[in-house]
C-alpha cells in the first residue's frame, strides 16, 4: 500500500504528549477555505482560557500569498471566527474554529462564499430551511491510486461493494469509523455513513442542519476527514469522477425542505419548488461544482445513477433523475426532496444559497440578485 511516511511514525509516542496538562491554557486551531475553493488550511494559537462562545475567539491573520488568496506585496488576510467545535485531535479543552476569510479591505475573499450565503439565509430564515448533504469521497494512496485496488489492474466489477462487509469488499473502514467518531466528538452534525458503489469510495451524511449551519458543519466534517486520513497516511479526494470508465462518480446529494414542505399537504410545495428548479437548471449546474459545471460534466452523464447534465428531470425514487422525491414522501404527501446534481467537491454554501434563491426568493435566469445587508 502507498501510504505516507509520517503515518508510519509511532503514534503511541505522540500520545504521551497529547495527554500532558495545559495549566488552563487552550490550543485553538483556526480552519479556513483556501484560494482553490476546495482545500482547507489550518494553524493554531494559544488562548489563556477556554472560549465559551465564538465571540471569545479573536480574529487572526495569515499569509494569503501562500494560499492563492493574495499577492506577496499585500498578503495579510483576516481570519474571522464563525463557528467553534471541540478538537478531536488535541482533545478538550482545545477547539477547532471555522473562519471566514476577509481581504485587507475587509471585503470577503473570492472563495469566501459563506458571506453571501449568510445574507440569503438571514432573508429566508422564516421558512426554516433544513438541509442534509451526502458527502461522497474516494480513498487514495499517496501515489493517487485508489486505496486497496490492485497495483496493476482493477478490482472486480461494481455490485458487491455498496454497503459491503468483508475484507474483499471494503477498504479503509478504520478510517471511516475514526472520522465518524471524531465528528461526533467535535459536535459536527454527522448522521450516518456507508460504503459506496465503487470500491474505496465512501459516503457520510451531515444534517439535518438549518440555514448557514449546513455549510459550516460540512466544511468542518471535510477538514476532520482530511486530518484523519493524514494520520492513516492516505488521501481523501472529492473529485467527482476519480476513475474513468465503468465506475461511479462522487456527488454531494442535497436533501432539502422548508417548514411548509414538512407539514401535512407539503407535497404541493415540494412540487412547486421543483418546478422553479426546472426553469433554472443551467444556473444550478454552474454553481454545483467549483469550475462552473466542468467537473460535473465528467460525472453527470446519464449513467452510473446520474442524470444528464444537459437535461432536468424529476421523479419518485428515481436515482437517475436530477431531483428525487423519496417514495415515503410521495406516500405521506409531505417531507423533503433530494437534489442529486451537486458534485462531491461543491461548496455547500454555494449549493444551499442557490436552492434558497430559486425556491424561496423566486429568482429566475442565470443572474443573481445582490441583497443589501439584512
Amino acid at each position: 500500500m502507498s501510504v505516507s511516511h509520517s503515518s508510519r511514525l509511532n503514534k503511541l509516542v505522540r500520545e504521551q504528549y497529547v495527554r500532558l496538562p495545559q495549566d488552563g491554557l487552550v490550543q485553538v486551531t483556526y480552519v479556513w477555505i483556501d484560494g482553490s475553493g476546495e482545500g482547507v488550511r489550518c494553524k493554531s494559537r494559544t488562548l489563556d482560557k477556554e472560549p465559551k462562545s465564538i465571540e471569545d475567539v479573536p480574529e487572526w491573520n495569515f499569509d494569503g500569498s501562500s494560499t492563492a488568496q493574495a499577492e506577496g506585496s499585500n498578503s495579510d488576510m483576516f481570519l474571522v471566527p464563525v463557528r467553534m467545535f471541540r478538537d478531536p485531535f488535541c482533545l478538550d479543552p482545545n477547539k477547532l474554529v471555522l473562519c471566514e476569510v476577509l481581504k485587507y479591505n475587509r471585503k470577503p475573499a473570492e472563495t469566501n462564499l459563506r458571506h453571501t450565503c449568510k445574507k440569503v439565509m438571514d432573508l429566508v430564515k422564516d421558512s426554516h430551511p433544513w438541509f442534509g448533504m451526502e458527502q461522497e469521497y474516494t480513498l487514495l494512496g499517496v501515489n493517487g491510486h485508489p486505496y486497496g485496488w490492485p497495483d496493476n489492474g482493477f478490482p472486480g466489477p461494481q455490485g458487491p461493494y455498496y454497503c459491503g462487509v468483508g475484507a474483499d469488499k471494503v477498504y479503509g473502514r478504520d478510517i471511516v469509523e475514526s472520522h465518524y467518531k471524531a465528528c461526533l466528538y467535535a459536535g459536527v452534525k454527522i448522521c450516518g455513513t456507508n460504503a459506496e458503489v465503487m470500491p474505496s469510495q465512501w459516503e457520510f451524511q451531515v444534517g439535518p442542519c438549518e440555514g448557514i449551519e449546513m455549510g459550516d458543519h460540512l466544511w468542518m466534517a471535510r477538514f476532520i476527514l482530511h486530518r484523519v486520513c493524514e494520520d492513516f497516511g492516505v488521501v481523501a479526494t472529492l473529485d467527482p469522477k476519480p476513475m474513468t470508465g465503468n465506475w461511479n462518480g462522487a456527488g454531494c446529494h442535497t436533501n432539502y425542505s422548508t417548514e411548509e414542505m414538512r407539514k401535512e399537504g407539503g407535497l404541493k410545495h415540494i412540487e412547486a419548488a421543483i418546478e422553479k428548479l426546472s426553469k433554472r437548471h443551467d444556473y444550478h449546474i454552474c454553481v454545483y461544482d467549483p469550475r462552473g459545471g466542468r467537473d460535473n460534466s465528467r460525472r453527470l452523464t446519464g449513467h452510473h445513477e446520474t442524470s444528464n447534465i444537459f437535461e432536468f428531470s424529476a421523479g419518485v425514487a428515481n436515482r437517475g433523475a436530477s431531483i428525487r422525491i423519496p417514495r415515503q414522501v410521495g406516500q405521506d404527501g409531505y417531507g423533503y426532496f433530494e437534489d442529486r446534481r451537486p458534485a462531491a467537491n461543491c461548496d455547500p454554501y454555494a449549493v444551499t444559497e442557490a436552492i434558497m434563491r430559486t425556491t424561496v426568493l423566486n429568482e429566475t435566469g442565470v443572474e443573481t440578485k445582490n441583497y443589501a445587508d439584512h
Side-chain angles (χ1 to χ4, degrees), residues 4 14 64 101 165 167 169 186 194 252 281 304-305 319 356 359:
S4 68
R14 177 183 179 274
V101 176
V165 178
K169 296 181 181 66
N194 59 269
C252 195
H281 179 62
H304 304 110
E305 298 182 60
R319 283 177 164 78
M356 300 317 298
T359 65

Side-chain angles (χ1 to χ4, degrees), residues 118-186:
K118 180 68 164 61
K119 285 185 182 181
V120 168
M121 291 304 173
D122 286 345
L123 283 171
V124 302
K125 64 180 186 295
D126 290 342
S127 65
H128 298 288
W130 288 5
F131 300 95
M133 298 186 80
E134 306 169 21
Q135 178 66 71
E136 295 179 333
Y137 62 95
T138 307
L139 296 176
L140 308 176
V142 291
N143 61 356
H145 194 62
Y147 183 78
W149 284 34
D151 290 335
N152 298 299
F154 299 91
Q158 295 183 155
Y161 309 112
Y162 172 70
C163 297
V165 178
D168 59 340
K169 296 181 181 66
V170 294
Y171 310 117
R173 192 185 296 275
D174 286 350
I175 299 166
V176 174
E177 293 184 345
S178 297
H179 171 251
Y180 201 152
K181 283 294 186 73
C183 284
L184 290 173
Y185 180 94

Side-chain angles (χ1 to χ4, degrees), residues 254-267:
T254 301
N255 301 279
Y256 160 65
S257 68
T258 58
E259 187 173 44
E260 60 185 9
M261 295 178 192
R262 298 187 292 269
K263 292 180 177 178
E264 189 170 342
L267 185 59

Side-chain angles (χ1 to χ4, degrees), residues 30-41:
Y30 289 58
V31 178
W32 71 96
I33 302 163
D34 68 16
S36 70
E38 300 177 72
V40 284
R41 308 288 181 111

Side-chain angles (χ1 to χ4, degrees), residues 7 13 66 120 130 204 237 338:
S7 68
V13 174
S66 298
V120 168
W130 288 5
F204 64 88
T237 179
E338 175 192 45

Side-chain angles (χ1 to χ4, degrees), residues 3-168:
V3 297
S4 68
H5 292 292
S6 60
S7 68
R8 299 169 185 168
L9 297 173
N10 189 337
K11 302 300 182 182
L12 292 177
V13 174
R14 177 183 179 274
E15 199 66 20
Q16 73 181 44
Y17 298 106
V18 169
R19 301 291 180 180
L20 290 174
Q22 298 179 186
D23 296 328
L25 301 175
V26 176
Q27 182 178 336
V28 177
T29 298
Y30 289 58
V31 178
W32 71 96
I33 302 163
D34 68 16
S36 70
E38 300 177 72
V40 284
R41 308 288 181 111
C42 69
K43 66 175 188 172
S44 301
R45 71 186 298 182
T46 303
L47 299 185
D48 57 11
K49 62 180 180 180
E50 181 180 357
K52 300 301 182 183
S53 69
I54 197 66
E55 289 75 24
D56 296 334
V57 183
E59 288 189 12
W60 206 10
N61 58 72
F62 69 97
D63 169 19
S65 68
S66 298
T67 61
Q69 290 171 291
E71 298 195 6
S73 58
N74 190 12
S75 63
D76 281 1
M77 308 283 284
F78 294 103
L79 290 172
V80 180
V82 293
R83 198 171 296 272
M84 185 168 63
F85 299 85
R86 296 168 71 193
D87 188 336
F89 308 105
C90 297
L91 307 181
D92 287 336
N94 304 301
K95 306 296 182 187
L96 300 177
V97 174
L98 185 69
C99 300
E100 282 195 31
V101 176
L102 302 183
K103 297 187 284 191
Y104 70 94
N105 56 7
R106 305 288 298 182
K107 292 184 178 180
E110 283 71 17
T111 55
N112 177 2
L113 304 186
R114 187 185 191 275
H115 191 76
T116 57
C117 183
K118 180 68 164 61
K119 285 185 182 181
V120 168
M121 291 304 173
D122 286 345
L123 283 171
V124 302
K125 64 180 186 295
D126 290 342
S127 65
H128 298 288
W130 288 5
F131 300 95
M133 298 186 80
E134 306 169 21
Q135 178 66 71
E136 295 179 333
Y137 62 95
T138 307
L139 296 176
L140 308 176
V142 291
N143 61 356
H145 194 62
Y147 183 78
W149 284 34
D151 290 335
N152 298 299
F154 299 91
Q158 295 183 155
Y161 309 112
Y162 172 70
C163 297
V165 178
D168 59 340

